[in-house]
C-alpha cells in the first residue's frame, strides 16, 4: 500500500509539473469520429524565402514590353524644303534650317521604314502595317489599308509617270497615288524582297533584293534583267550617280554597276568587308556612304576616302539626306544627327534620341 500511494503521489506531481499530458475529450473521441477532425501543420521558425522578381504573373507582361527603339529609318526632303523624319517612334516634320519640329503626325503604326512624296505633294508612309497616305497640309491620313502581298513595306519610289512602287518583303506592287488603288503586282520577283529601289536614266526601275539586282519595266511591270551571283547576295541600299551608274550597298561591300550592260564595274575599296546600309550623292559630286560602323564620304571617281564623320549618336547609320538646309542629316539606330561643312563632327538633334522620352 505504501508503494502504491507513493506512485500515485508521483503521478499527480508529474501532471502538475506538465511532465505527463492528459488526453482531452477531443482526442479521446478521435478514433470514433476521425472524419470530422482537421490536422494542424507545424512550421519551423524561420524567415520567408527571398522574393524572385518578376513574379510569375508579371513575367509575361515584362517579356512583351520592348525597349524603346530610337532608330531613324528614313529621311525625305519635301517640295517645300522641309525634312520629314521617319522613325520607329512615329513621323515628324522639321525645319532643316533651324532644326525646329514643325509637326508630329499621328499614325496607326509607329514603326516606319519607308517614305515617298508623289507628284502632287502627298506623303506616302510604309510601315509594319502596310501603306498610308498623308496630306502634308493637314497631317491627316487620306488613304490606308491597301491589300498588299505583305503588310511589311520596306521601300517606296515614285516613277517618272508619277505612279508609286511599293517594295515589301513579299514582292512589288504598283499603286495609283490618286485613287490609292493597286494597279498590278510583280509576281515571282527574283530575290523576293524589295529592299531598296532606284530609277536609271531610262526610267527603268532597279530593285535590290535578297538575291541581287532586278530591273523592272515600269510600263509593263515585267522583269527585264536580273543580276545575281553577287558576292554577299543581298542588296540593301541603292543610289544612282550623276553619271548614271548604280551604287549598290551590300552586307559586305559596295558595288558599282553599269545599268545598260548589267556588268559590275568595281567593288569600292574602302568599303570591302563593311556592311553598307545607305548611299547618297551630294550636290558637290561626292558620295556619302553609311555603314553599320560609321559614315564615310568618298570621291566617286577614285573611291578615295575624303571624310569620316565623328560625333554621331550611333555608329550604325540607317539613312542619309545631304544638302538639306545647308546640312547633312544622318539617321542612326540611336537618333538623328546633323553636320555642316564647317563642323569637325556631327551633333545630335535632341528631339530624336534617348534625351527625349
Amino acid at each position: 500500500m505504501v508503494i502504491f500511494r507513493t506512485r500515485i503521489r508521483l503521478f499527480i506531481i508529474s501532471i502538475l509539473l506538465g511532465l505527463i499530458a492528459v488526453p482531452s475529450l477531443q482526442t479521446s473521441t478521435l478514433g470514433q469520429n476521425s472524419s470530422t477532425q482537421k490536422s494542424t501543420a507545424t512550421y519551423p521558425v524561420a524567415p520567408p524565402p527571398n522574393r524572385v522578381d518578376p513574379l510569375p504573373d508579371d513575367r509575361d507582361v515584362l517579356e512583351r514590353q520592348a525597349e524603346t527603339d530610337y532608330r531613324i529609318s528614313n529621311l525625305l526632303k519635301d517640295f517645300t524644303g522641309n525634312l520629314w523624319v521617319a522613325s520607329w517612334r512615329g513621323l515628324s516634320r522639321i525645319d532643316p534650317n533651324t532644326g525646329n519640329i514643325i509637326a508630329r503626325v499621328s499614325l496607326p503604326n509607329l514603326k516606319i521604314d519607308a517614305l515617298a512624296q508623289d507628284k502632287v505633294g502627298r506623303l506616302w508612309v510604309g510601315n509594319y502595317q502596310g501603306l498610308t497616305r498623308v496630306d502634308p497640309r493637314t497631317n491627316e491620313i487620306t488613304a490606308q489599308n491597301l491589300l498588299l502581298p505583305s503588310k511589311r513595306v520596306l521601300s517606296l519610289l515614285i516613277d517618272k509617270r508619277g505612279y508609286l512602287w511599293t517594295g515589301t518583303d513579299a514582292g512589288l506592287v504598283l499603286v495609283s497615288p490618286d485613287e490609292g488603288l493597286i494597279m498590278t503586282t510583280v509576281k515571282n520577283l527574283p530575290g523576293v524582297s524589295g529592299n531598296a529601289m532606284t530609277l536609271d536614266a531610262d526610267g527603268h526601275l532597279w530593285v535590290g533584293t535578297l538575291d541581287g539586282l532586278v530591273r523592272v519595266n515600269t510600263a509593263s511591270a515585267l522583269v527585264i534583267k536580273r543580276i545575281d551571283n553577287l558576292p554577299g547576295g543581298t542588296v540593301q541600299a541603292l543610289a544612282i550617280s550623276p553619271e548614271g551608274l548604280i551604287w549598290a550597298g551590300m552586307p559586305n561591300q559596295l558595288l558599282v554597276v553599269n545599268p545598260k550592260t548589267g556588268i559590275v564595274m568595281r567593288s569600292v575599296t574602302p568599303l570591302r568587308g563593311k556592311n553598307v546600309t545607305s548611299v547618297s550623292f551630294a550636290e558637290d559630286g561626292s558620295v556619302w556612304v553609311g555603314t553599320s560602323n560609321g559614315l564615310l564620304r568618298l570621291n566617286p571617281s577614285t573611291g578615295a576616302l575624303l571624310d569620316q564623320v565623328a560625333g554621331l549618336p550611333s555608329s550604325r547609320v540607317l539613312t542619309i539626306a545631304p544638302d538639306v538646309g545647308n546640312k547633312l542629316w544622318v539617321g542612326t539606330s540611336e537618333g538623328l544627327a546633323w553636320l555642316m561643312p564647317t563642323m569637325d563632327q556631327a551633333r545630335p538633334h535632341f528631339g530624336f534620341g534617348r534625351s527625349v522620352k
Side-chain angles (χ1 to χ4, degrees), residues 121-307:
R122 293 166 298 210
L123 197 70
W124 290 86
V125 183
N127 55 38
Y128 275 30
Q129 291 298 320
L131 192 58
T132 303
R133 187 179 67 192
V134 176
D135 185 340
R137 297 168 299 179
T138 62
N139 297 326
E140 294 179 348
I141 296 173
T142 56
Q144 61 180 333
N145 299 326
L146 278 68
L147 297 175
L148 305 174
S150 168
K151 288 186 176 181
R152 185 176 181 185
V153 176
L154 304 177
S155 58
L156 294 170
L157 182 140
I158 303 293
D159 67 19
K160 290 187 174 181
R161 302 170 302 163
Y163 291 112
L164 175 68
W165 289 89
T166 303
T168 76
D169 60 357
L172 291 181
V173 177
L174 180 62
V175 176
S176 169
D178 292 330
E179 291 81 13
L181 299 174
I182 294 175
M183 298 177 66
T184 188
T185 300
V186 179
K187 298 179 180 179
N188 302 320
L189 178 71
V192 182
S193 181
N195 300 328
M197 294 186 285
T198 191
L199 290 176
D200 64 20
D202 296 325
H204 292 305
L205 175 68
W206 286 87
V207 185
T209 74
L210 298 175
D211 190 24
L213 282 167
V214 174
R215 189 171 76 178
V216 177
N217 186 311
T218 56
S220 64
L222 296 176
V223 174
I224 54 179
K225 185 180 288 291
R226 180 181 181 184
I227 304 174
D228 54 6
N229 297 320
L230 298 177
T234 299
V235 174
Q236 55 197 19
L238 286 175
I240 295 289
S241 73
E243 297 79 23
L245 300 176
I246 299 174
W247 288 58
M250 306 181 70
N252 61 347
Q253 64 183 327
L254 177 62
L255 299 179
V256 180
V257 180
N258 186 324
K260 295 186 179 298
T261 63
I263 296 174
V264 177
M265 300 175 64
R266 71 180 190 273
S267 173
V268 181
T269 302
L271 278 305
R272 289 176 183 170
K274 295 185 182 296
N275 181 14
V276 178
T277 53
S278 53
V279 183
S280 186
F281 284 85
E283 291 178 354
D284 64 5
S286 62
V287 57
W288 289 98
V289 182
T291 75
S292 59
N293 191 29
L295 176 63
L296 313 174
R297 186 167 72 96
L298 305 176
N299 181 323
S301 300
T302 64
L305 179 63
L306 301 177
D307 287 304

